[in-house]
Amino acid sequence: MPELERLAARHAPAVLRFERENRAYFARYVPDRGNDFFTGYAARHAALLAEQDRGTCHFHVLVGDYGAVLGRFNLVDVADGSAELGYRVAERAAGRGLASEGVRRVCELARTGYGLRRLVASAALANPASLAVLKRAGFVPDGPVELDGEPGLRHVLDLDAPYAAASP
């Protein structure tokens, strides 16, 4: 099984490769990051590490063979024991349970490693795979949201409750 690693400076080339290789795939489900994201990636990566150092975010990569990034699992806007979860998995790794496993692992880290008590995550209604990942991880629907003009569903996970993310 690939390793979930906390984002580090050494991951920059592999993350950029992951984002470039999957750009069209991701754009089917979420808005494209735009060309500036790719041309200015070195500065963007440094900024992410600075946010992580401040404790306002926790970024993770799912690393496979030869250091290839297969997914990203991020906890952002950390405050008052809560954070928002976001994730994406490479097209070539989709359908293998890596999103579910990565979300399960980062939820456990949120609880045991970062002391968080609540996570929020949203997924577009047009992305049933992502909605299923959240359900399997124990997230509970919390109401409709608009995600870049598209209908979505907000979910919450109470990390103080008995951990439900172990369900298949």
Side-chain angles (χ1 to χ4, degrees):
M1 186 60 158
E3 294 296 318
L4 185 69
E5 299 178 5
R6 189 164 170 87
L7 187 68
R10 65 183 165 78
H11 293 121
V15 171
L16 181 57
R17 189 173 321 110
F18 165 83
E19 293 290 347
R20 281 187 175 142
E21 289 173 356
N22 293 283
R23 184 177 184 178
Y25 173 65
F26 294 148
R28 288 188 235 158
Y29 304 103
V30 295
D32 184 68
R33 294 184 186 268
N35 290 334
D36 290 345
F37 175 88
F38 298 95
T39 57
Y41 187 73
R44 173 72 179 136
H45 194 82
L48 293 176
L49 294 175
E51 283 183 82
Q52 186 165 261
D53 288 345
R54 288 191 301 274
T56 57
C57 298
H58 302 288
F59 302 106
H60 306 86
V61 289
L62 191 64
V63 179
D65 295 336
Y66 310 106
V69 172
L70 301 175
R72 298 180 69 183
F73 299 85
N74 302 321
L75 300 169
V76 300
D77 299 333
V78 175
D80 301 321
S82 184
E84 183 159 342
L85 168 70
Y87 60 93
R88 52 180 53 201
V89 172
E91 183 174 23
R92 70 184 176 96
R96 298 186 349 211
L98 294 179
S100 293
E101 181 61 19
V103 166
R104 185 196 64 74
R105 289 187 200 177
V106 83
C107 288
E108 184 62 20
L109 260 176
R111 187 175 66 81
T112 62
Y114 306 134
L116 298 176
R117 298 180 310 279
R118 181 174 184 265
L119 296 180
V120 175
S122 297
L125 295 180
N127 190 347
S130 192
L131 293 166
V133 165
L134 294 175
K135 182 178 180 180
R136 278 192 295 276
F139 281 82
V140 177
D142 189 50
V145 294
E146 188 174 301
L147 301 169
D148 297 301
E150 299 297 323
L153 191 56
R154 176 188 152 120
H155 294 73
V156 296
L157 177 64
D158 178 1
L159 295 170
D160 288 334
Y163 195 58
S167 62

